[in-house]
């Protein structure tokens, strides 16, 4: 019997999935069971293209779900939009889950029919930059890599020969490698906004590396786990107090790193310089619209305020597109980094939007994408 | 639900941006960003973002004979009959590089059987060795003969990175660029003022409408100063087309080819994903020229003006679903994950039909790889380029008129709908004509009138710039008059 608030440690009963999947393949097995037993019609998974590339697919094929097992920290995609209009189960980092919740707030996702398995995430990396980092910093052939993990502030890389090499994240990031900028200041590492919050933090002893720590966040989480247990897809056991404490400790270390990055990046801009700052930041924009297209918080479609009041024939360097998006995202930017990733002019769009949103979100103690709570900006301020 | 995901490159320009095209079971297409592509890290420009519209089923070419839909076999047979009857001296083949290396190679085989060459739309000329796009970031001084924001947007990030590394960026042209430290409107004889050296990099482009004189001057500038030279190219496989076209034989520019058609020297034209109406600045004149042909055979994946005029259309797979490889502007070999071989198969049957051999896609791929390998050490790759005495062409603009000039954009060939339907004018012109913001300007030329919206930009007096192909344009530069709408 599973209950909300339970913290368990588990793994897949299928040895193939257990060996291939990250941390014992629990997440893959829970997703496969959800599909197999009809809890959902489809599952969103990442289809491997290479160790450094994957594409999200929506599938109703259990074998395709099982084949997707494996961690992909070098694939910085946000899965939220793939859940739109579906009865699906999906894995996701905290930012993926935040994106789904923002979509649900805007009635694009039926949250009751969407099962979210959150994955602890210390950050994701860019594929091309990661390959370069492996050669320059780790002196490892990128083709030899079989997996990676973040432990005690180090990025550990595993190779085919079983060798493990770790370098401190601080050192990597000083050298211009490591995690994407938005991951560095991300302040949700354990996806407590999901139905299940899973990861390898807190898995110790014999099970280390071969099992997943999982916290049941709500009734949907209960259904997911019970379904997988009843289907015989997973085996679980209660997490020990020590395991729970270690998980919390790792989380605190990661959050304290994030706080340092936040302080470094989100410096105060004097009011007199704000307009100039934003104008300069967007001056190289080529109007591709990619930042809007990939934004997991955006549900407007092609015709939206930011595009309708904006035209290329305008002479302004910072256009209505940017201004409307700054306003819209002040209450909904989840800081996932997708807009920065796809910007062809390398404008740090996420950081600009987060910087704009930070002030107001802090003032109202509101964090987008964590719950279905309406943004306080929409409420009438009491006198 | 079953989705198809194709790993491919953008057909917009020669940068060769990697991306995924997703096709759902209802045939709806969407893009995914391929972040592992070293060329673009998954980033795409405005054209790339609109690829689902470009690739929409309604734009796909269909097999046709004399305007009626037929099956592939019938279309190929009709093309064979045309080529068998044609006087081989008056047959021309055109492929500018909008398709795979394997189709290019198959087209060259067809040209060999016909005893002719594949025209690529660009004169055969000595070109410097391709440079890596990443190399842009290391240059100390960069001179731009292109507008990267409009023409080749995926080099904007390279230029900004170069600036962060301390590069000084000069734009040689009339339109100020945000990323340029200076904008200098220089004539070729003033290029010495640029003070370039071996740590400098010149970025220019070569396309069917390039001014041969300007290309020569730019090459001479690089040679004389020791500066690096990066020629951008407008088509996804411009480099593949140039490399795989017959080694021997004269290649002429697109304008000369059209002139030959106009003069009746060419009576039969076979095009491979290359529509002269879309490629030529004066679409109307191109249509009139094509009407003078006895026969037009179009082999293409997309519909265009030429497919509507063709005696025979042989449809190939959309670019994203083709099997095959491409050479981008830095000569980096890229591969599609698609399996479509309709283009090579059709060319094989066409070749056999006129007395040549049949071939397979794999055979063409083998020859492509062999040619690429040989080119690495071949003499052409190491050719030293010097300037020639080709003069820079100029259009005489009467004093009371304006010069309408193309801000050449590789995407013009597609002539797809975009929101860049405005011209650039300077403030003096706006004041002089009494134009109001949000209003429009009436452009008048020999070919008629056109109402356009406008944007104010700091460009020289007397100049009107357009990044969109306009019906009143006679060439890259056209004399026009203007008045308020």
């Amino acid at each position: 019997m599973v209950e909300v608030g339970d913290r368990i440690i588990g793994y897949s009963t299928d040895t193939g999935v257990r060996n291939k999947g990250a941390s014992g393949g629990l997440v893959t097995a829970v997703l496969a069971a959800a599909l197999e037993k009809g809890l959902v019609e489809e599952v969103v998974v990442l289809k491997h293209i290479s160790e450094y590339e994957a594409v999200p697919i929506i599938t109703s094929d259990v074998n395709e779900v099982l084949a997707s097992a494996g961690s992909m920290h070098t694939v910085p995609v946000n899965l939220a939009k793939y859940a739109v209009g579906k009865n699906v189960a999906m894995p996701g980092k905290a930012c993926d889950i935040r994106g789904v919740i923002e979509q649900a707030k805007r009635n694009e996702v039926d949250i009751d029919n969407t099962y979210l398995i959150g994955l602890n995430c210390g950050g994701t990396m860019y594929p091309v930059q990661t390959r370069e980092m492996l050669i320059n910093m780790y002196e490892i052939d990128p083709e030899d890599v079989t997996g990676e993990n973040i432990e005690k502030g180090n990025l550990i890389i595993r190779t085919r020969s079983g060798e493990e090499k770790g370098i401190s994240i601080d050192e990597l990031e000083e050298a211009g490698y490591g995690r994407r900028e938005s991951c560095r200041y991300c302040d949700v590492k354990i996806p407590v906004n999901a139905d299940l919050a899973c990861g390898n933090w807190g898995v110790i002893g014999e099970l280390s590396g071969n099992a997943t720590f999982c916290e049941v966040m709500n009734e949907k989480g209960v259904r997911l786990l019970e379904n997988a247990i009843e289907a015989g897809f997973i085996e679980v056991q209660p997490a020990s107090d020590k395991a729970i404490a270690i998980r919390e400790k790792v989380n605190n270390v990661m959050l304290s790193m994030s706080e340092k990055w936040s302080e470094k990046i989100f410096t105060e801009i004097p009011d007199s310089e704000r307009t100039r700052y934003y104008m300069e930041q967007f001056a190289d924009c080529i109007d591709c619209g990619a930042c809007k297209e990939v934004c997991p918080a955006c549900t407007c479609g092609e015709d939206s305020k930011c595009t309708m009041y904006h035209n290329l024939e305008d002479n302004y360097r910072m256009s209505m597109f940017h201004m409307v998006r700054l306003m819209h995202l002040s209450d909904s930017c989840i800081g996932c980094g997708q807009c920065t990733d796809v910007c062809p002019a390398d404008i740090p769009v996420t950081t600009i939007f987060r910087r704009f949103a930070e002030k107001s979100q802090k003032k109202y103690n509101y964090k987008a994408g964590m719950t279905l709570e309406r943004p306080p900006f929409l409420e009438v301020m009491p006198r | 639900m079953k989705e198809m995901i194709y790993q491919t490159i953008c057909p917009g320009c020669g940068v060769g941006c990697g991306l995924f095209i997703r096709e759902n079971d209802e045939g709806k297409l969407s893009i995914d960003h391929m972040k592992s592509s070293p060329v673009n890290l998954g980033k795409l420009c405005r054209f790339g973002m609109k690829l689902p519209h470009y690739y929409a089923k309604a734009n796909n070419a269909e097999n046709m004979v004399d305007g009626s839909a037929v099956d592939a076999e019938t279309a190929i047979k009709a093309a064979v009959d045309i080529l068998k009857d044609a006087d081989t001296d008056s047959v021309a083949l055109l492929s500018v590089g909008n398709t795979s290396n394997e189709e290019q190679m198959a087209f060259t085989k067809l040209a060999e059987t016909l005893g002719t060459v594949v025209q690529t739309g660009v004169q055969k000329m000595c070109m410097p060795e391709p440079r890596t796009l990443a190399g842009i970031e290391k240059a100390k001084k960069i001179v731009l003969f292109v507008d990267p924001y409009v023409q080749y947007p995926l080099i904007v990030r390279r230029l900004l990175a170069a600036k962060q590394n301390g590069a000084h960026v000069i734009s040689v042209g009339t339109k100020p660029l945000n990323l340029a430290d200076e904008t200098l409107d220089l004539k070729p004889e003033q290029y010495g003022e640029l003070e370039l050296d071996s740590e400098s990099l010149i970025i220019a482009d070569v396309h069917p409408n390039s001014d041969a004189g300007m290309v020569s001057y730019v090459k001479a500038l690089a040679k004389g100063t020791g500066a690096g030279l990066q020629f951008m190219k407008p088509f996804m496989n411009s480099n593949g087309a140039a490399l795989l076209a017959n080694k021997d034989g004269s290649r002429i520019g697109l304008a000369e080819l059209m002139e030959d058609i106009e003069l009746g020297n060419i009576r039969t034209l076979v095009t491979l994903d290359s529509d002269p109406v879309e490629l030529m600045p004066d679409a109307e004149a191109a249509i009139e020229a094509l009407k003078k042909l006895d026969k037009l055979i179009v082999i293409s994946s997309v519909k265009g003006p030429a497919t509507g005029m063709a005696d025979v259309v042989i449809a190939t797979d959309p670019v994203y679903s083709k099997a095959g490889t491409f050479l981008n502007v830095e000569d980096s070999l890229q591969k599609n994950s698609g399996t479509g071989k309709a283009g090579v198969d059709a060319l094989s049957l066409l070749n056999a039909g006129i007395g040549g051999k049949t071939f397979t896609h794999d055979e063409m791929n083998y020859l492509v790889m062999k040619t690429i390998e040989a080119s690495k050490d071949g003499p052409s790759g190491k050719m030293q380029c010097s300037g020639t005495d080709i003069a820079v062409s100029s259009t005489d603009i009467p004093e009371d008129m304006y010069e309408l000039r193309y801000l050449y954009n590789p995407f013009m060939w597609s002539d797809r709908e975009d929101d860049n339907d405005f011209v650039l004018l300077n403030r003096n012109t706006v004041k002089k004509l009494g134009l109001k913001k949000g209003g429009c300007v009436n452009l008048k030329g020999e070919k008629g009138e056109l109402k356009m919206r406008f944007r104010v930009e700091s460009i020289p007096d007397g100049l009107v710039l357009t990044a969109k192909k306009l019906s009143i344009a006679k060439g890259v530069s056209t004399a026009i008059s203007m008045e308020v709408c």
Side-chain angles (χ1 to χ4, degrees):
Chain A
M1 183 74 179
V2 180
E3 288 180 7
V4 174
D6 278 359
R7 289 149 187 198
I8 57 102
I9 288 181
Y11 43 80
S12 167
T13 52
D14 180 313
T15 44
V17 174
R18 192 174 175 186
N19 293 334
K20 191 181 167 207
S23 310
L26 177 112
V27 171
T28 304
V30 171
L31 288 168
L35 194 57
E36 177 87 1
K37 295 294 164 191
L39 198 58
V40 292
E41 288 168 6
E42 290 166 314
V43 167
V44 179
V45 289
L46 288 173
K47 182 178 179 178
H48 292 216
I49 303 290
S50 72
E51 189 63 36
Y52 306 94
E53 183 70 274
V55 276
I57 56 163
I58 305 159
T59 183
S60 49
D61 181 346
V62 173
N63 291 327
E64 218 161 16
V65 176
L66 295 173
S68 71
S71 83
M72 299 292 288
H73 275 97
T74 57
V75 183
V77 291
N78 191 297
L79 302 176
K81 284 200 169 177
Y82 297 92
V84 171
K86 312 261 181 208
N87 166 217
V88 290
M90 58 182 278
K93 309 173 292 293
C95 57
D96 293 305
I97 310 300
R98 292 174 77 175
V100 174
I101 290 170
E102 286 302 304
Q103 292 282 329
K105 275 182 199 170
R106 292 159 180 79
N107 298 323
E108 293 292 310
V109 162
D110 175 3
I111 203 74
D112 294 332
N113 275 318
T114 306
Y115 288 83
L116 304 168
I117 306 181
L119 309 169
N120 295 349
C121 180
T124 53
M125 301 176 291
Y126 292 118
V128 174
Q129 208 180 47
T130 301
R131 293 180 73 99
E132 201 181 295
M133 174 187 80
L134 290 168
I135 295 166
N136 294 342
M137 303 289 286
Y138 284 80
E139 296 173 339
I140 287 176
D141 180 349
E143 300 308 318
D144 282 345
V145 171
T146 55
E148 80 297 313
N149 192 21
I150 295 175
E151 265 179 42
K152 295 177 184 168
N154 291 325
L155 176 65
I156 318 282
I157 301 291
R158 286 191 306 278
T159 63
R160 283 181 214 283
S161 60
E163 187 195 349
E164 284 193 348
K165 188 168 180 180
I167 298 180
S168 107
I169 291 175
D170 285 342
E171 190 185 335
L172 294 170
E173 289 172 357
E174 277 300 314
Y177 297 115
R179 299 168 302 163
R180 297 150 70 233
E181 186 173 76
S182 53
C183 299
R184 295 178 193 184
Y185 55 73
C186 167
D187 58 1
V188 186
K189 304 296 183 187
I190 294 178
V192 291
N193 49 352
D195 303 324
L196 296 174
C198 301
N200 64 352
W201 302 347
V203 182
I204 49 176
E206 280 180 4
L207 288 175
S208 178
N210 296 308
T212 299
F213 187 115
C214 179
E215 183 174 358
V216 183
M217 303 310 302
N218 56 31
E219 285 301 331
K220 277 195 292 166
V222 171
R223 285 203 287 279
L224 276 169
L225 266 193
E226 283 187 341
N227 179 66
I229 295 166
E230 279 166 24
F233 277 45
I234 59 169
E235 279 177 18
V236 300
Q237 60 190 61
S240 65
D241 289 345
K242 192 178 173 189
I244 293 167
I246 287 175
R247 177 185 185 239
E248 201 48 40
K249 194 177 166 189
V250 176
N251 188 36
N252 288 338
V253 169
M254 297 305 295
L255 289 176
S256 106
M257 282 169 74
S258 297
E259 207 172 320
K260 276 186 204 158
W261 272 107
S262 283
E263 283 166 11
K264 192 173 165 181
I265 292 174
F266 299 124
T267 50
E268 185 72 23
I269 311 168
D271 284 350
S272 60
E273 290 172 27
R274 284 168 71 83
T275 308
R276 183 190 301 274
Y277 167 80
Y278 287 108
M279 282 174 73
E280 283 176 0
Q281 291 292 316
F282 290 119
D284 292 307
C285 173
I286 62 160
D287 282 287
C288 64
C291 52
K292 174 179 182 288
E293 185 70 26
V294 297
C295 178
C298 174
T299 57
C300 296
E302 278 190 26
D303 292 337
S304 50
K305 283 191 184 108
C306 60
T307 53
M308 297 295 274
Y309 296 108
H310 160 61
N311 201 304
L312 274 183
E313 74 189 67
D314 286 336
N315 294 89
Y316 309 107
R317 277 183 177 178
M318 184 171 69
S319 69
M320 285 300 285
F321 175 77
H322 303 122
M323 287 194 278
V324 174
R325 276 191 60 72
L326 277 167
M327 290 304 295
H328 271 194
L329 286 167
S330 63
D331 68 8
S332 53
C333 178
I334 56 169
C336 66
Q338 297 300 301
C339 46
T340 293
D341 294 356
V342 297
C343 177
D346 274 355
I347 299 168
V349 193
T350 309
T351 300
I352 297 167
F353 284 132
R354 279 305 311 159
R355 190 191 279 270
F356 191 86
E358 188 85 349
K359 220 172 175 178
S360 42
Q361 291 194 8
K362 260 193 179 163
K363 182 175 175 182
Y364 292 102
N365 193 25
Y366 174 79
K367 199 181 272 190
M370 297 306 289
T371 67
L372 289 171
E373 174 201 0
R374 280 163 62 91
F377 316 99
L378 297 176
E379 309 301 336
V380 176
M381 287 276 284
R383 276 184 181 272
Chain B
M1 177 168 184
K2 188 78 184 168
E3 290 184 312
M4 288 295 292
I5 294 169
Y6 298 92
Q7 183 175 331
T8 183
I9 64 168
C10 176
C13 74
V15 170
C17 295
L19 74 149
F20 296 107
I21 294 279
R22 182 185 291 268
E23 187 171 14
N24 73 10
D25 46 9
E26 289 161 0
K28 194 182 168 206
L29 302 173
S30 57
I31 56 147
D32 271 36
H33 301 266
M34 195 169 106
K35 293 174 180 176
S36 63
S37 168
V39 173
N40 61 316
L41 312 178
K43 299 157 191 286
L44 296 168
C45 72
R46 203 163 76 234
F47 183 84
M49 290 301 296
K50 287 185 177 171
L51 281 177
H53 297 286
Y54 171 74
Y55 281 134
K57 294 274 183 285
N59 295 333
N60 288 354
E62 293 169 286
N63 292 301
M64 312 272 281
V65 174
D66 296 330
S68 302
V70 294
D71 58 22
E73 200 181 328
T74 308
I76 293 165
K77 189 176 176 309
V80 167
D81 291 343
I82 289 172
L83 292 177
K84 270 182 170 174
D85 289 346
D87 169 8
T88 48
D89 288 342
S90 67
V91 177
L93 272 64
L94 173 70
S95 178
V96 295
N98 279 322
T99 191
S100 68
N101 285 322
E102 287 67 22
E103 286 186 14
Q104 285 290 153
M105 182 55 99
F107 204 46
T108 300
K109 290 283 158 209
L110 181 70
E112 283 169 6
T113 305
L114 284 165
T116 184
V117 297
V118 172
Q119 299 295 343
T120 62
V122 178
Q123 286 174 348
K124 195 169 184 177
M125 64 173 107
C126 145
M127 295 296 284
E129 281 187 79
R131 305 170 65 88
T132 64
L133 294 171
I136 295 173
E137 298 178 19
K138 292 177 186 146
K140 296 284 178 228
K141 186 185 248 187
I142 298 173
V143 176
L144 296 170
F145 285 88
V146 294
D147 176 345
Y149 294 106
V150 175
Q151 294 172 273
Y152 301 98
L154 261 295
I155 63 167
V156 167
R157 68 186 188 92
R158 304 283 194 188
L159 293 163
L160 293 169
K163 281 194 74 166
Q164 277 205 331
N165 292 336
H168 183 76
V169 180
I170 302 171
S171 167
V172 178
T174 50
K175 185 175 165 239
L177 302 176
N178 185 63
L179 58 73
D181 298 293
E182 295 178 79
T183 300
L184 302 174
D185 190 6
L186 300 176
K187 293 191 167 42
E189 55 272 23
Q190 297 171 300
Y191 288 169
E193 293 174 23
L194 293 167
E195 296 178 349
L196 304 184
D197 59 27
S198 59
E199 291 189 309
S200 308
L201 176 66
I202 299 165
I203 302 178
D205 69 346
V206 179
H207 53 76
N209 297 313
S210 289
D211 186 311
M214 275 303 298
V215 172
S216 295
Y217 267 107
V218 168
K219 286 196 294 187
L221 177 63
K223 169 109 173 127
T225 58
L229 177 55
Q230 171 72 60
F231 271 125
M232 303 303 294
K233 311 271 177 70
F235 309 113
M236 68 183 303
N237 201 20
S238 296
N239 276 11
L243 179 70
L244 302 171
N246 319 52
K247 213 159 94 187
D248 303 314
S250 64
R251 291 221 292 275
I252 54 175
L254 184 62
E256 291 160 276
L257 180 75
M258 296 307 286
E259 202 179 314
D260 272 349
I261 294 172
E262 188 80 36
L263 293 170
N265 299 332
I266 292 169
R267 311 295 313 165
T268 301
L269 179 67
V270 189
T271 63
L272 178 62
D273 278 293
S274 306
D275 190 328
V277 182
E278 287 181 340
L279 291 164
M280 291 297 288
D282 186 338
E284 211 176 296
I287 289 171
E288 289 308 311
L290 293 184
K291 281 182 185 169
K292 294 190 174 172
L293 289 167
D294 290 340
K295 296 290 177 187
L296 173 61
I297 300 170
V298 172
I299 306 166
S300 183
S301 61
V302 287
K303 276 183 195 159
T307 54
M309 299 176 70
D311 298 282
V312 177
V313 179
I314 298 173
T316 63
D317 309 281
V319 170
Y320 70 86
S321 64
K322 278 184 205 297
T325 59
F326 307 86
L327 275 181
N328 80 344
V329 73
E330 50 188 354
D331 260 3
S332 162
L333 189 72
Q334 294 160 295
K335 196 178 172 198
N336 259 11
S337 69
T339 53
K341 295 171 183 171
V344 171
D345 290 347
L347 285 160
S348 168
L349 290 173
L350 204 47
N351 194 46
I354 59 167
K357 287 182 180 169
T358 56
F359 42 74
T360 64
H361 186 276
D362 288 351
E363 285 165 357
M364 292 301 99
N365 178 260
Y366 172 76
L367 291 177
V368 167
M369 295 304 147
K370 223 169 106 177
T371 311
I372 291 171
E373 195 56 40
S375 73
K376 286 179 185 161
D377 305 314
S380 61
K382 290 184 176 138
M383 203 179 283
Q384 290 299 306
C385 293
S386 58
T388 67
D389 53 2
I390 304 171
V392 174
S393 64
S394 63
T395 307
D396 286 331
I397 308 293
E399 258 186 38
D400 57 341
M401 295 187 87
Y402 294 88
E403 181 189 3
L404 173 67
R405 196 188 298 170
Y406 269 2
L407 190 55
Y408 182 85
N409 175 345
F411 320 127
M412 276 179 165
W413 59 261
S414 67
D415 205 22
R416 304 292 168 197
E417 201 172 306
D418 196 8
D419 51 1
N420 62 351
D421 53 346
F422 54 87
V423 291
L424 304 182
L425 310 172
N426 78 3
R427 199 169 294 281
N428 290 342
T429 307
V430 170
K431 276 188 186 166
K432 194 173 155 189
L433 298 175
L435 301 173
K436 302 274 187 234
K437 182 156 178 60
C440 78
V441 58
N442 196 24
L443 315 179
K444 284 185 180 177
E446 271 181 38
K447 293 182 64 194
E449 296 184 26
L450 185 65
K451 285 183 172 52
M452 290 292 289
R453 297 182 300 162
F454 64 90
R455 169 174 165 164
V456 180
E457 196 69 79
S458 302
I459 57 174
D461 283 336
L463 193 62
V464 183
L465 294 178
T466 173
K468 194 177 174 74
K469 198 167 162 179
L470 301 181
S471 60
I472 60 160
K474 290 181 67 186
V476 174
S477 174
T478 308
I480 59 162
S481 61
M482 292 193 292
E483 60 188 28
V484 65
C485 288

